[in-house]
Amino acid sequence: MEQNIIETDILIIGGGTAGCLAAVEVRERFPNLSVTIMEKAHIDRSGCLAGGMNAINAYLNPGETPESFVKYVRFDSCGLIREDLVLSMSELFEYCVKKVEKWGLPILCDEKGNYIPRGRWNIKINGESLKPIIAKAAKNAGTKVLNWVVASNYLVVDGRVVGAVGFSVRNGNMFVVKAKATIIATGGAAGVYKPNNAHDAQHKTWYCPYNTGAGYAMGIRAGAEMTSFEMRYIGLRVKDTIAPTGTIALGVGAPQINSKGEKFMATKYAHIGGDGAPTPYRSHGPLQEIKEGRGPVYLDTRHITSQQARDLKSAFLDMYPSMVLYWAANEIDPSKEPVEVQTTEPYIVGGHTQSGYWVDVNRKTTLEGLYAAGDVAGGAPYKFVSGCWAEGVIAAKQAGEYAQKNDFTEIPASLVHKEQDRAFAPLLSFTNKKDGIKAYDMEVRLQKIMEEYAGGAATYYEINEERLLVARRRLATLPDQFKHIIAEDLHELMKAHEVIDRVYVAQTLVEHMLYRKETRWPGYCTRTDYTERDDEKWLNFVNSRRDPDTGNIEMLTRPYVQIVPGDRYKPR
Amino acid sequence: MPVIIHADKCNGCHGSNNPPCIRMCPGDLLMKDSKTGKILMRDPAECWDCLPCVKVCPQEAIEFRLSYQLGFHTARLLPHIHDTRDFITWELIDTKGDIDKFTIRTKILPVELDEKVEGVAPVDFSI
């Protein structure tokens, strides 16, 4: 095993949606600064955008403003968001979308050349090649790309993040990257809970199954403050394929119906917008129908024409091709029968919900020298693709300014050795002992604990104090078991760290869910012992910080600040 | 079995050490068989069904298959990239053999058949 030591002014960990835009922005604003992307796969098709996208879902269509966007997102997130963060990202939607269009992304326009709106915040794109397009722009900007290097931990000296350590899944080299400033953009976490499908479809998930919370875990281990993990994302998706439903619900205006044909959202949730209710309610509503014996639940597409059905299939081919094959393989015609839906495994993300690093308006984390963008950054839900781009741009600007003023730091050899021992331990365990725990076995164990005690699909995602305490106790044993994990090759070593990282995420998540004693987001975090929303006590952010020395997780709250006036529970 | 490789069509991209399909998999699931020079799927259960490997293969040697628990056999979905690189035609075949086609605008970027990886010798790619 060799050590590659690299010096770069700015290190970006994760070359996905946010990371690529951050790289371009640094190079454009600060041509004197060098930029390196550390990426666990290959940036041409890594991360959430691998399959493509068929819409930009956070955009200000004519008549909308950053303020109207904040009002909507605040309503959609049940009255609690970081308004400063959502405002600052929405101000950059136009800048980012125009930029990526210039790089070659086809955006659908009318005959006058205006983007075609799909609802208040969406425009349609032909985004099958979206990821290679932004990756090329990052490369053209002069970014050094370390493909297939899995980040394992930050280098922290005197409380400042001064780079990161990773290992190559191609040759096992250890990469020690020294940086003046670091941007974390590794995405959120899938696979913390039991996935919807089993066997050879276990990765048939909506969220990218290779996003396994590395950025969260590195921050948790280093003592960064995290926010809102308890706002899990449990999406309403097409049954079996777990394909996004926005393409159907927004694309052709399909309401939810239960097995009796009743439009239950329109009747039971009329007071909060019916089928346009906040996103958690659009998962909570159908769950109640199923729980009370009125399932299956569908999106009613029977009114659409055969041409509309074809357009629907075309839209899925740009983003989620398996949906189209699924219909053909099951003889389903969405214009003749309604599309059955289900809810997903709980994902931890900062782009749909708001779990992640606690950041200031410049996307600076609580650790000196570290900035966060995209799904890994908290407090700003409804980011989707364009919000992640915007955060990459904001983080790049601030990280660049920080790098101009601060120099490299000498890194103690002991720090590197310690991480080297930790990172490669599963390979050594295999060589020395052969017998041990496979990453997959620990993954299943983790998912079983979370599924059964921390609000998995089997319990309709509901939680209470007693169950969570069992989850906490069982999870507490897992870190002691890490030393038994074995990896036969470098791919398995990556898998080992993917599950280790998810254990840190799960432990933090359970503490967050225990701490928030109310039900603010029904469906996402339904407490059977505190069933109501409680603005008097809980209109604030639940944050956590793990002490790097003791491993104890300290919980705290941070106040909500209203910037945009108006009723927090109204969409306009 | 989300992705299958048709060994009769795969030519290993003419001895490429780092062919496009290997590069495009976000899960590090494709690898080269050092004996045959052809591509292997490491573990079908880890596949996300995202299809970049299918679309990028110059030989159309990689085919996406829906896991059988999710759909019946013989339905197929075959993407064909136009030579102009600005359109993709998806050929959809249902279980009865009826064919439907969808042609969609895109912007396919050219890819090299091989690519150097920093600090890595060619032998490290193979199993």
Side-chain angles (χ1 to χ4, degrees), chain A residues 94-155:
Chain A
E94 186 71 15
Y95 170 79
C96 294
V97 169
K98 281 282 178 315
K99 205 165 183 171
V100 177
E101 186 181 28
K102 204 177 75 197
W103 295 339
L105 173 70
I107 302 180
L108 275 63
C109 293
D110 61 19
E111 58 281 4
K112 286 182 188 153
N114 298 317
Y115 299 155
I116 300 173
R118 188 186 83 174
R120 292 176 72 188
W121 318 113
N122 315 53
I123 50 173
K124 291 182 187 180
I125 61 173
N126 287 129
E128 172 279 319
S129 276
L130 178 53
K131 187 68 216 292
I133 288 170
I134 62 171
K136 189 183 175 195
K139 287 185 273 190
N140 284 350
T143 307
K144 183 185 178 76
V145 182
L146 302 174
N147 288 316
W148 290 301
V149 177
V150 180
S152 66
N153 254 333
Y154 296 126
L155 289 164

Side-chain angles (χ1 to χ4, degrees), chain A residues 145-197:
Chain A
V145 182
L146 302 174
N147 288 316
W148 290 301
V149 177
V150 180
S152 66
N153 254 333
Y154 296 126
L155 289 164
V156 185
V157 177
D158 296 332
R160 179 185 159 205
V161 174
V162 292
V165 177
F167 61 88
S168 164
V169 291
R170 283 289 171 268
N171 63 359
N173 281 10
M174 186 168 177
F175 282 76
V176 179
V177 183
K178 300 161 82 170
K180 293 175 183 169
T182 303
I183 299 172
I184 184 76
T186 47
V192 175
Y193 287 81
K194 200 171 154 191
N196 291 94
N197 296 302

Side-chain angles (χ1 to χ4, degrees), chain A residues 42 128 171 200 203 210 310, chain B residues 1 46 67 100-101 106 119:
Chain A
H42 187 294
E128 172 279 319
N171 63 359
D200 65 349
H203 272 180
Y210 317 117
R310 278 189 70 82
Chain B
M1 45 184 245
E46 287 187 38
S67 167
D100 201 352
K101 286 185 179 174
T106 183

Side-chain angles (χ1 to χ4, degrees), chain A residues 6-15 19 23 26-27 33-39 43 142-147 149 175 177-179 181-183, chain B residues 118:
Chain A
I6 291 170
E7 276 194 357
T8 183
D9 293 319
I10 308 268
L11 169 64
I12 299 170
I13 306 174
V26 173
R27 294 288 301 154
L33 295 183
S34 58
V35 180
T36 301
I37 289 179
M38 186 187 276
E39 163 60 51
I43 68 161
T143 307
K144 183 185 178 76
V145 182
L146 302 174
N147 288 316
V149 177
F175 282 76
V177 183
K178 300 161 82 170
T182 303
I183 299 172
Chain B
E118 179 142 351

Side-chain angles (χ1 to χ4, degrees), chain A residues 229-249:
Chain A
F229 271 41
E230 75 279 12
M231 191 187 182
R232 306 176 297 173
Y233 184 62
I234 296 159
L236 185 72
R237 292 294 178 264
V238 179
K239 171 119 191 331
D240 294 343
T241 59
I242 323 297
T245 46
T247 306
I248 301 172

